[in-house]
Structures are given as C-alpha cells and as structure tokens.
Amino acid sequence: MQIDIEVRKTTPYPDQKPGTSGLRKKTKVFLENPNYLENFVQSIFDCLPDRRGATLVLGGDGRYFNRPALQTIVKMAVANGFGTLLIGQGGLLSTPAASHLIRKNQALGGIVLSASHNPGGPEGDFGIKYNIDNGGPAPARYTEAFFRRSREIREYRIARMADVDLDRIGEQVYGETTVKVIDPVTDYAQLMAQLFDFDRMRRALTSGAVTICFDAMHAVTGPYAKRILEEELGAPPGSVINAVPLEDFGGGHPDPNLTYAKTLVEKMYGPEAPTLGAASDGDGDRNMILGRGFFVTPSDSLALLAANAHRVPGYRDGLRGVARSMPTSRAVDRVAEALGIPCYETPTGWKFFGNLLDAGKITLCGEESFGTGSDHVREKDGLWAVLFWLNIVVATGQSVATLVREHWRRFGRNYYSRHDYEAIDRATADAIMTHLHDRLAELPGNRLGKFRVVQADDFSYTDPVDGSVTTGQGIRILLEPEARLVFRLSGTGTEGATLRIYIERYQPDPARLDLDTQAALAELIELAETLSEVKKRTGRSGPTVVT
Ligand code: VG1
Ligand code: CO
C-alpha cells in the first residue's frame, strides 16, 4: 500500500522542556495549542537519525487523550520512516512493560504517554516521555536536544491514513511500516515468572496462607495485576481492586500513598486486612507496600529488598551494587555496607540509574517517591516490587511488619518524611532556594539545635560511567548525630512550583524504633522550616502533602 506523506507547517513553542520524567503539562495545553503534541513528537524524531526502518514501542497509561494522541503519533512515525511500531492493545503499556519491550525487541526506543500519578482528564495532566534503546528514560543529552529542536521546529511529517485499530491484536501494514498491536501484559508476565518463585507463591496464595490486596487505582496496572496475581498465581478473584483502567482513573488521583489509595488503606488498617497490601500509580512504575496496619516507607522498602534479595530466585547470586536518589533515605546504604557492595547516590529521576545498570555496577535501585527497580528493566517497576515483597513474605513466612521491625533491629531505623509545599509561586520558590544557597558557606561547623552541621552543599553528580556532570540537584545539609535535611524543587509539576523538604534521622537505639515518624522528626522539621523560611515566605501554615 502506497502512503501519502504530508509535510505540514508549524510554529515552535518556547516551553517544551522535559522535566524529571518527560514533558508534562495540563491536558488543556495539549488540546488547545495547535500542533503542541505534533511539534514535540517531530522534535524527538528529528533527534533520532537512525529511525529509518527501526522499531518504536508505543503505549500509555490510558488516561484521557491517550488514544487520539497515539493515533497522531502512529501516523507521524509512519511518515518518519520507522519500520515497526509495537503498540500495546487499547493503547496501553505500563512504563516498565514498555521498557521491557524496547529491550526485548531491540527497539530504537519508545514513547510512553503518561503524567504518572497526576490526575487525568480535560482538567488534569497529560505527558509524553521518550525512552532510549536500553529501555530507560532519555538522558539529558537527548532531552536537551529535543528541547532545542522544539524551539526551532517549522514543519512536521504525518501520513495520510485512517486510524489504526488499537483494539485488534495483529499486524497492519502502512507503506514501509508494520504496525503490530500486541497484548500489553504477556511479555511482562513472562519476565516476572523468570525472576520470582511463582510455584511457591502460587501455593501460598491458593491455600490462603498468604493473602493480598492490590489496588490498581483504575490505572494501567489493572490488567497486569489481574493476569499475574489472580490468573497465574491464583489469588482469589477480587484480590485486585479498581482493576479497570479508566480515562479519568475513576475520578481518583492515581498516586499510591496513604492519602490517595484510600480503599486499600482502610482495608489494611481494618479487621479483615490481608497479609500484603499494595498499590501502583497511573503508569505502573510506582509502588506502595503495606502490611496489616503497617506502612512501609519506600526508602525502607528498598533497604529491605536489598537485604533479602538472596531469598528471591532472580537475585540469588547476590547484588553487584545498589543506588538511591540523593533525597532517598540512607537506609539502603547500611545494607550495602553490610553486604560489602557499593552504594551510589544519584540525582532525582530514573534516568540517572541507566548507566549504572547498563554497566553492571548495580542490581537494585530506588527513590523515596515510591519507586523501586532492578536491572530487569530500565524503569522503576511497581508490580515487580510487589511481587518481590510477596516472594519474601512467602519465603520467610513472616509478616510485613515483622520483617521491617527485624530489619530496624539489625540496621537501625532511618526515620524519614517528605514535606511538600505544592503550587507555590515560582518566584517565591526560587527565592527560597537562593536564600538557602546563600547560607551554605556559613553552615558547616555551626550548631543547629542539638545538631552540628558537618556538610552543606548543592548536590552535583558526576556519572561514574560516562563522566557527565549534573549540577544544582538540591540543597543537602548533613548533620551530626546522623541526620539530614534536603531541599529541592520538583521537576514534574504543572502548576507554579513545588518545594520538597526531605527530613531524615538515623536512630540506632533498639528502644526507640517504634516512634511516630513526625514526632521523631519534630525538631528537624522545625529546623528545616526556620532555615528555609518556608512558612514566612509562602504565607502557608504548613506543607500540603506529608509522606
Ligand atoms: C518526582 C519524584 C521522583 C520521580 C519522578 C517521576 O519528581 O520526586 O523521584 O522520579 O517524580 O516519577 P519531582 O521532580 O517532582 O520531585 V513518575 O512515577 O512521575 O514517572
Ligand atoms: Co509513574
């Protein structure tokens, strides 16, 4: 079939700068600005000289505008000479599944449509991110090139063709391009079966020795969790809740935390709580882990997975190393020390783990923002983390709470909390960061309450693999006795600016492992507020979100 290619004129936008995880904007920005999507997609394609004949993976989290946006991208990919397009049925692919498909099919890359945990719909958010051939988020050298291109773009290419049938599995040929609609779950489920002890997990779940509740929050992980937990591992029907992906996430906020995963949290703190409770976000890369009446912080989760990895078939041979983003608590550092393996500290965002994983320097990595992953893909992976926990629970026969408490007894506990001041105005946010910056030089050696400042800096990172340097990644204040304050601005928001304050304190005393987190951190929280003048400068009485 001969396909007509149209070259259409366009005018550039000044604001298509990818943030921590792709280009994320209000859905309206995509809907109301002519060619907003087309410009960015063509900018990506223009920066990929090898695209002719190459394979591109396409999918999204199913939010509002996912389908029409995919249709446009398919037509543009055809017009730009890609050889094969692999698309998840219904336009769905979780972020980790897309990462796996890119790797498995030696694709040039992939595009995932998602604004992650941000609400969707015409009043919500939409986003687009590009992943490179290792399956991971495009590193800065790519995103900077996309941005540069987007500011000078004058035309884009699109094929004149009917919409593809996104719901029918199979191949459709358009000129030189084969469009393959595939089951979004199968390959991912196979990968999980290679990593975990499915037989043992199946026995525990079908006998009822272990029970689980997984909240898919009406986002992309529903079909994945249904297939793996209920169909393959035999968890009773209904173990996966809110399992149908909806364009508006059922009116919810697909953010797996104590505030938004309400149904699950109520269940886990109620009389009928299952052994393990878990949730994932819009695009399936985040996870929250709960035991009966017990919440596991993401930082502790990473540390515990590292300490117990030898119990899981895929990691039986041990870990080469671990990594965490700078603001993530240092709980995993202690595990690495005990295991005698390196622990790397990277800037926020999964793209910084890619080189370490590719070079075989690390096996596990994670972030405080409910993200955990390993070298099985190049993204954080929500359902993978849940299966990892399930495997550990089944292998040890211990409850989630017992596992965590024993971990604290062995390593000490890193009390940890993040306070977000969301949607403050940009100028105020910048002024707070400048003010903190100005104080960096005078702080070391000073006393702050009962702490002494041992180091204060603006975090910068030199990638140990390619030597690239990333600066301005957040203000760190390291204290003695061991504690830490971190301040940074979010790179995923779509409204004003969000200041994140991360507060951490290490507690080795076995008698003080069961305190309330906010109470245990109260003095440090106050220090952080005084130091940054956040309340005075924003006029707010406190953070909008506490995790
Ligand atoms: C946030 C988190 C960060 C995470 C990023 C993408 O970024 O803090 O750890 O990698 O979201 O997660 P920021 O810049 O707003 O702090 V997701 O699930 O949106 O892909
Ligand atoms: Co996400």
Side-chain angles (χ1 to χ4, degrees):
M1 192 190 351
Q2 188 61 30
I3 292 279
D4 272 356
I5 308 295
E6 252 186 90
V7 179
R8 294 190 189 154
K9 296 273 168 249
T10 189
T11 39
Y13 291 95
D15 66 342
Q16 298 195 314
K17 188 177 168 60
T20 313
S21 180
L23 180 70
R24 214 170 272 185
K25 297 281 175 194
K26 291 270 166 226
T27 311
K28 277 200 178 128
V29 173
F30 283 91
L31 296 180
E32 291 172 3
N33 295 301
N35 303 334
Y36 198 83
L37 175 73
E38 288 85 344
N39 277 16
F40 191 66
V41 172
Q42 188 64 54
S43 300
I44 295 175
F45 290 165
D46 284 348
C47 297
L48 306 174
D50 306 336
R51 65 183 184 271
R52 198 147 290 279
T55 298
L56 185 70
V57 171
L58 296 174
D61 64 10
R63 70 181 57 222
Y64 180 80
F65 194 49
N66 190 75
R67 277 175 174 260
L70 260 183
Q71 294 291 358
T72 302
I73 296 170
V74 167
K75 291 171 194 169
M76 290 182 66
V78 169
N80 277 273
F82 282 93
T84 305
L85 304 181
L86 284 178
I87 313 178
Q89 188 183 24
L92 296 179
L93 277 182
S94 78
T95 288
S99 182
H100 177 52
L101 285 171
I102 293 170
R103 296 166 66 73
K104 187 171 173 186
N105 295 284
Q106 281 140 15
L108 177 65
I111 290 177
V112 177
L113 301 176
S114 173
S116 190
H117 52 290
N118 297 11
E123 302 303 320
D125 292 348
F126 190 78
I128 168 167
K129 47 186 186 174
Y130 182 74
N131 283 27
I132 60 170
D133 59 357
N134 75 349
R141 63 177 190 283
Y142 283 84
T143 53
E144 280 159 16
F146 300 161
F147 180 46
R148 268 197 306 277
R149 183 68 193 144
S150 75
R151 288 194 296 184
E152 55 197 33
I153 192 158
R154 293 287 162 195
E155 56 186 41
Y156 68 91
R157 299 169 70 79
I158 189 158
R160 235 188 286 258
M161 56 185 260
D163 280 0
V164 298
D165 185 346
L166 290 175
D167 296 308
R168 187 169 53 86
I169 288 185
E171 294 189 10
Q172 304 157 54
V173 177
Y174 298 90
E176 305 286 297
T177 312
T178 305
V179 174
K180 294 187 187 167
V181 174
I182 57 169
D183 180 278
V185 179
T186 305
D187 297 273
Y188 178 83
Q190 279 166 4
L191 177 64
M192 294 301 114
Q194 287 163 21
L195 297 174
F196 301 108
D197 193 346
F198 269 29
D199 288 336
R200 202 161 169 188
M201 289 152 80
R202 192 178 299 115
R203 281 199 297 277
L205 286 170
T206 49
S207 70
V210 168
T211 49
I212 187 167
C213 178
F214 180 91
D215 188 348
M217 304 188 84
H218 287 302
V220 81
T221 47
Y224 294 86
K226 274 262 171 204
R227 174 90 60 87
I228 296 172
L229 293 172
E230 294 187 5
E231 289 170 33
E232 292 191 13
L233 293 176
S239 298
V240 179
I241 59 172
N242 301 320
V244 180
L246 297 174
E247 283 203 332
D248 67 346
F249 306 118
H253 195 142
D255 195 350
N257 61 30
L258 294 175
T259 312
Y260 295 122
K262 233 184 164 156
T263 336
L264 173 72
V265 171
E266 271 162 23
K267 213 179 173 110
M268 295 309 296
Y269 285 80
E272 306 279 288
T275 323
L276 181 64
S280 189
D281 70 333
D283 60 330
D285 56 359
R286 296 186 176 209
N287 73 89
M288 174 170 68
I289 300 293
L290 300 163
R292 292 195 174 108
F294 193 92
F295 165 70
V296 186
T297 71
S299 298
D300 280 346
S301 175
L302 173 64
L304 196 134
L305 296 191
N308 289 277
H310 60 280
R311 304 182 196 279
V312 173
Y315 305 91
R316 194 151 279 156
D317 296 339
L319 308 175
R320 292 162 181 258
V322 292
R324 59 161 173 84
S325 67
M326 183 274 281
T328 302
S329 103
R330 297 186 287 192
V332 73
D333 301 33
R334 297 191 179 269
V335 177
E337 207 186 319
L339 293 173
I341 56 172
C343 176
Y344 298 86
E345 184 176 42
T346 58
T348 296
W350 213 260
K351 56 176 171 271
F352 295 99
F353 294 132
N355 278 348
L356 296 170
L357 291 162
D358 285 350
K361 289 183 178 295
I362 59 169
T363 310
L364 292 190
C365 46
E367 297 189 278
E368 50 67 41
S369 53
F370 297 85
T372 333
S374 89
D375 59 358
H376 69 291
V377 288
R378 294 293 180 274
E379 286 277 6
K380 55 186 183 270
D381 189 342
L383 195 49
W384 167 89
V386 176
L387 293 167
F388 206 131
W389 266 94
L390 182 63
N391 199 150
I392 293 172
V393 166
V394 167
T396 57
Q398 287 181 330
S399 73
V400 170
T402 305
L403 283 165
V404 176
R405 290 206 170 95
E406 295 214 328
H407 185 91
W408 291 339
R409 259 195 291 282
R410 183 166 163 216
F411 295 98
R413 176 172 179 187
N414 289 68
Y415 282 99
Y416 185 83
S417 182
R418 188 178 95 192
H419 287 205
D420 290 338
Y421 290 75
E422 297 172 303
I424 55 183
D425 69 68
R426 180 51 60 192
T428 306
D430 289 341
I432 292 174
M433 292 308 284
T434 308
H435 162 75
L436 284 165
H437 226 268
D438 291 345
R439 299 206 51 189
L440 285 178
E442 84 197 44
L443 281 172
N446 280 7
R447 294 209 74 82
L448 288 178
K450 65 165 173 283
F451 297 90
R452 194 177 63 85
V453 180
V454 284
Q455 190 183 332
D457 60 13
D458 186 351
F459 182 61
S460 69
Y461 177 67
T462 304
D463 187 298
V465 179
D466 67 15
S468 61
V469 177
T470 311
T471 57
Q473 293 302 303
I475 303 278
R476 286 193 300 188
I477 300 175
L478 278 60
L479 305 166
E480 193 56 64
E482 194 178 325
R484 208 167 58 131
L485 302 175
V486 173
F487 304 83
R488 62 177 281 279
L489 297 181
S490 157
T492 57
T494 57
E495 219 179 310
T498 291
L499 174 69
R500 304 200 196 281
I501 306 183
Y502 310 78
I503 308 117
E504 175 182 6
R505 177 172 189 186
Y506 179 61
Q507 179 54 266
D509 181 355
R512 303 184 64 78
L513 296 178
D514 248 321
L515 308 177
D516 170 74
T517 299
Q518 298 305 313
L521 296 174
E523 186 186 349
L524 285 159
I525 292 169
E526 211 182 304
L527 281 175
E529 289 170 358
T530 314
L531 211 61
S532 60
E533 302 180 352
V534 59
K535 290 187 178 169
K536 189 172 91 191
R537 288 171 183 264
T538 60
R540 303 249 176 113
S541 57
T544 36
V545 176
V546 173
T547 45

